[in-house]
Amino acid sequence: MELFRLALSIFAAVFIGWNILYLISFRKIKLSFLERLFISYGSGFGFISLEMFLFHFFSIKFSLIRIIAPWTLLFITNLIIYLKREGPYGRDPYDMKDRGNILLNSFLAAGIIFEILYAFFRALIKPIEAYDAIATYAIRSKIFYMENSIPHDFFYNLSLLFPHPDYPLNIPLSETFVYLFLGNLNDQIAKVIFPLYFLATLGILYFGVRRFSGRTGALLFTFILASVPQFNHFATNAYHDIPLSYYCFAGALFLLYWFKETESLGCLYISAVMTAMAGWTKNEGFVYCAANILLLLIFLFINRRGIKKKDILNGLLYICVILLILTPWLWVKFTANLVNSDVGSTTLSELNIIKQSYKAWPILYEFQRQIFGPKKWNIIWIAAFIAMAVYRKKIFADGQKYITISLILTVSGYIFAYLIGQDEIRHMVGTTWSRMMMHFLPLTVYWLAYLIKDEFAERKG
Amino acid sequence: MLLYKSLHMKNKIFKLVFTVWVIIWIFLLIREMFAKGNIREYNALLHRSLDGKRAYVTGDRLYEFLSFCNAELPEGAKYMFFGLEEDSHDKRRATYYLYPHLEAEEADFLLMFNEPILSRTGYEIISKLDDTRYILKDLKRRGR
């Protein structure tokens, strides 16, 4: 019975996510059914948690009916749109007949399925217990569930008793949503949301690579990402890094899709929603909000001759959607003066990068240690550096350049955060950088796949 | 001919890289499961109830004490915890499991874990799990 309730909570989140995206984009863009499901999953939980957060402003108690009822209006609207639609909406932008090397494909698919099942097994074998998972996130979801709301003085009193009061509440509130469905505080099976984010990230990567490569290429790069031990491990320990990776990756990818086809507005809206959700999941998500907005401005500047007025307006709309989604959280954060314990209340003098430049060497040292040190065994970074050297002429070529710029902006954003941080720099970089790198790992794998896509075409030829 | 040779070479490199990747993948999986002792942990966890699993990951002794405190403390009680290092993983777990009881400087109850019984002026033992795990109550706050 409990598993049925759990499945129902996931179904509810996906269904709500599906309806939101159907209204804003699904009718107009080409996506496969599974890809739609993977996107709906994250947006569903994101919007439900946002709704639960908005309840706080109106002192509304949580109940499943109160949470789900408003979405029925959206469902009815979509039903009317669906029945009145003219012609079918777009599907599958890939050549689904391409079967590739069946033996290799079977091996890769088996490897991916194994990694996914193993992630689910490891997540569900024990309750939430990892340090940050319990100290920062699970304690908050427990409070919200037991109080049946976000207590009215939560941000001014209660939250300050636990570490990182400034961390966004997407995942704690998503956990609370699952608890409400379960009817109890089973923090073992509620962990299912984390491997599901892992699965959805792999799915989005697969369909992303599938747009320019055959089945073998897409399976190969999905396998590469799935087989990174640290990435798989973090899908099981209830940390928020994999959900953040998911939102960052989807946000960047759909923005890149829009760059290719500016008529495909749905992609821009999905990117805006996912990027904002990154900021609503972890503070690091704000780096991606800034990076994607900058990337959009760079795109508009580079293509200024061919750009139409409506593209600029769409760009402005993109920024507005991100701000709109994040405003309630930013409002609470500033009014309650929730300060990050690592970055602190940054003063103007700390923003003076030249003054902080002494931190550059320790940062670079830690970076190379995390990349080349055997401890993490994440050889994607080494592979990426080799590929960068071999294909150096291509990294700023058409199409590829925006993915490269996106990665550069992200890394620069993190370096900036490290520079203005108040914590001891070696400790801060040493304890966080490998996790930060996971946030843009899916995009790096996609970048790698895009970089060598011609090799697959040549081999096929 | 040149194009053919270059393709042949690239094919070989791709095969080599992929083979190395798969070997490392299998090695890491085996290391993760066996060398790090995860298989033993999975085996121990597999047949336990949710409470049993919580006890396993928290440590049986600590979890037993936390369950004891939850049963003994009155609703809304504020406590101070002794016997666990501040900011340690165990302390965080204790905070999580003890909620809705909250830790506070001005607490009615002192939760003593792995602390020998010594007489403390102004406090009395109100409940005892064993000689090193017990709850003290502040006598000045008796009426509250």
Side-chain angles (χ1 to χ4, degrees):
Chain A
M1 192 59 190
E2 207 166 34
L3 285 179
F4 174 72
R5 283 164 176 260
L6 178 73
L8 214 57
S9 68
I10 304 298
F11 174 79
V14 173
F15 186 71
I16 289 168
W18 182 288
N19 273 281
I20 293 164
L21 295 175
Y22 182 83
L23 187 75
I24 64 171
S25 66
F26 273 2
R27 288 167 292 137
K28 293 158 196 155
I29 55 171
K30 290 176 178 176
L31 292 173
S32 80
F33 175 75
L34 278 176
E35 205 173 5
R36 286 162 203 266
L37 276 188
F38 293 138
I39 302 161
S40 302
Y41 173 72
S43 62
F45 268 119
F47 275 105
I48 289 169
S49 62
L50 205 61
E51 179 197 11
M52 290 166 78
F53 180 62
L54 291 176
F55 280 14
H56 168 69
F57 293 96
F58 305 99
S59 304
I60 301 172
K61 290 265 176 194
F62 296 151
S63 81
L64 285 178
I65 291 181
R66 283 192 199 115
I67 294 169
I68 292 172
W71 301 107
T72 52
L73 203 68
L74 176 70
F75 173 64
I76 294 165
T77 313
N78 278 345
L79 201 65
I80 295 165
I81 294 170
Y82 179 77
L83 294 173
K84 281 188 172 176
R85 81 195 191 283
E86 287 169 12
Y89 52 67
R91 274 180 190 278
D92 300 347
Y94 355 84
D95 171 19
M96 296 309 274
K97 284 176 194 154
D98 166 35
R99 299 229 161 261
N101 182 333
I102 291 175
L103 192 69
L104 181 59
N105 286 358
S106 308
F107 172 80
L108 293 169
I112 295 165
I113 291 168
F114 172 81
E115 286 288 350
I116 291 168
L117 291 178
Y118 189 44
F120 275 96
F121 173 76
R122 285 209 291 177
L124 297 177
I125 191 87
K126 50 181 157 179
I128 297 176
E129 55 90 32
Y131 190 95
D132 272 350
I134 210 159
T136 309
Y137 314 121
I139 183 69
R140 290 186 167 82
S141 52
K142 185 175 183 180
I143 293 169
F144 301 151
Y145 176 71
M146 294 189 81
E147 302 292 330
N148 223 4
S149 65
I150 301 175
H152 68 95
D153 62 342
F154 179 76
F155 298 105
Y156 297 91
N157 290 316
L158 203 51
S159 189
L160 306 177
L161 298 175
F162 311 106
H164 306 303
D166 64 311
Y167 278 20
L169 297 174
N170 181 9
I171 304 298
L173 284 166
S174 298
E175 286 172 354
T176 307
F177 178 70
V178 176
Y179 293 150
L180 287 169
F181 258 96
L182 294 176
N184 63 52
L185 227 152
N186 188 333
D187 55 0
Q188 181 194 347
I189 62 172
K191 270 172 86 187
V192 77
I193 59 177
F194 298 97
L196 280 171
Y197 272 108
F198 174 69
L199 170 65
T201 311
L202 295 181
I204 292 172
L205 175 67
Y206 173 82
F207 288 109
V209 179
R210 201 71 179 78
R211 283 165 192 259
F212 55 79
S213 164
R215 192 165 286 178
T216 308
L219 283 170
L220 176 69
F221 285 98
T222 309
F223 170 74
I224 285 174
L225 181 63
S227 63
V228 173
Q230 195 192 17
F231 198 68
N232 189 303
H233 172 62
F234 273 79
T236 69
N237 63 2
Y239 273 52
H240 292 189
D241 298 282
I242 297 299
L244 181 64
S245 293
Y246 163 88
Y247 289 119
C248 297
F249 180 48
L253 203 61
F254 277 84
L255 187 60
L256 295 167
Y257 293 163
W258 183 72
F259 289 170
K260 272 190 194 151
E261 211 181 316
T262 47
E263 292 305 311
S264 188
L265 265 183
C267 291
L268 191 69
Y269 296 148
I270 292 177
S271 171
V273 165
M274 292 299 188
T275 305
M277 289 303 169
W280 174 228
T281 303
K282 274 196 102 179
N283 282 335
E284 292 89 325
F286 286 98
V287 170
Y288 293 86
C289 294
N292 281 3
I293 290 170
L294 272 173
L295 187 67
L296 180 75
L297 296 177
I298 291 169
F299 169 80
L300 292 174
F301 179 75
I302 291 175
N303 299 286
R304 60 192 174 281
R305 281 188 191 145
I307 284 295
K308 296 168 201 150
K309 200 177 165 188
K310 70 170 184 181
D311 293 328
I312 296 168
L313 287 175
N314 289 332
L316 283 173
L317 193 66
Y318 183 84
I319 299 169
C320 290
V321 170
I322 293 175
L323 286 176
L324 189 71
I325 291 175
L326 289 173
T327 297
W329 172 240
L330 290 174
W331 171 262
V332 166
K333 212 170 155 167
F334 289 115
T335 50
N337 195 24
L338 304 175
V339 176
N340 187 278
S341 51
D342 296 326
V343 178
S345 314
T346 309
T347 59
L348 276 177
S349 117
E350 281 146 3
L351 281 175
N352 184 345
I353 297 296
I354 296 162
K355 231 173 140 184
Q356 307 289 345
S357 59
Y358 72 96
K359 293 176 182 170
W361 178 244
I363 290 174
L364 287 175
Y365 174 78
E366 284 298 331
F367 276 22
Q368 66 78 28
R369 210 168 67 89
Q370 296 291 341
I371 291 168
F372 299 109
K375 203 178 162 196
K376 305 290 175 195
W377 288 98
N378 188 348
I379 51 177
I380 284 183
W381 304 114
I382 298 168
F385 277 110
I386 294 170
M388 211 175 351
V390 174
Y391 299 95
R392 59 192 171 279
K393 285 179 187 161
K394 278 188 183 177
I395 55 176
F396 285 105
D398 258 355
Q400 187 79 38
K401 69 172 171 264
Y402 294 114
I403 320 175
T404 309
I405 295 170
S406 173
L407 288 170
I408 291 171
L409 288 173
T410 305
V411 175
S412 309
Y414 278 131
I415 291 175
F416 180 73
Y418 282 132
L419 284 174
I420 62 167
Q422 289 173 1
D423 214 353
E424 200 277 312
I425 190 66
R426 268 182 207 279
H427 174 257
M428 191 157 85
V429 185
T431 51
T432 58
W433 183 234
S434 75
R435 278 195 290 137
M436 305 293 163
M437 287 165 82
M438 269 197 306
H439 304 158
F440 53 90
L441 184 64
L443 189 64
T444 308
V445 176
Y446 179 81
W447 173 85
L448 207 53
Y450 203 89
L451 194 63
I452 60 172
K453 70 177 194 301
D454 295 340
E455 302 299 340
F456 285 98
E458 276 177 37
R459 282 148 66 84
K460 227 172 137 185
Chain B
M1 190 65 183
L2 255 173
L3 181 70
Y4 175 78
K5 267 191 176 173
S6 138
L7 273 178
H8 189 67
M9 184 59 125
K10 277 178 180 170
N11 259 334
K12 271 189 168 176
I13 293 170
F14 274 113
K15 274 181 189 160
L16 181 74
V17 169
F18 182 66
T19 311
V20 170
W21 193 283
V22 171
I23 291 169
I24 292 176
W25 175 56
I26 293 169
F27 165 74
L28 291 175
L29 266 180
I30 293 170
R31 187 183 74 138
E32 205 269 327
M33 281 185 187
F34 296 98
K36 288 187 174 176
N38 284 345
I39 284 279
R40 239 178 302 132
E41 191 181 77
Y42 300 149
N43 200 30
L45 284 163
L46 213 53
H47 303 291
R48 285 177 176 237
S49 63
L50 176 57
D51 237 22
K53 285 176 183 182
R54 284 174 176 158
Y56 181 86
V57 295
T58 311
D60 288 323
R61 251 183 83 75
L62 176 59
Y63 190 73
E64 188 188 17
F65 180 60
L66 297 175
S67 304
F68 167 76
C69 293
N70 272 332
E72 295 296 319
L73 289 173
E75 206 177 311
K78 299 261 192 325
Y79 66 84
M80 277 181 86
F81 205 107
F82 289 86
L84 292 177
E85 202 181 311
E86 204 51 44
D87 293 337
S88 66
H89 200 161
D90 279 341
K91 186 69 189 295
R92 296 300 185 196
R93 283 169 172 150
T95 309
Y96 175 68
Y97 286 120
L98 287 172
Y99 184 84
H101 308 301
L102 287 169
E103 190 160 30
E105 296 266 321
E106 304 226 329
D108 306 320
F109 299 91
L110 307 185
L111 311 183
M112 314 300 280
F113 179 70
N114 286 343
E115 297 275 322
I117 295 179
L118 296 169
S119 61
R120 281 178 185 251
T121 37
Y123 290 93
E124 68 169 359
I125 295 177
I126 57 151
S127 208
K128 194 168 97 169
L129 187 61
D130 58 35
D131 284 346
T132 57
R133 296 180 293 174
Y134 51 95
I135 302 172
L136 292 173
K137 184 168 171 31
D138 187 344
L139 290 173
K140 286 173 280 177
R141 294 162 184 264
R142 185 187 279 278
R144 295 183 193 186

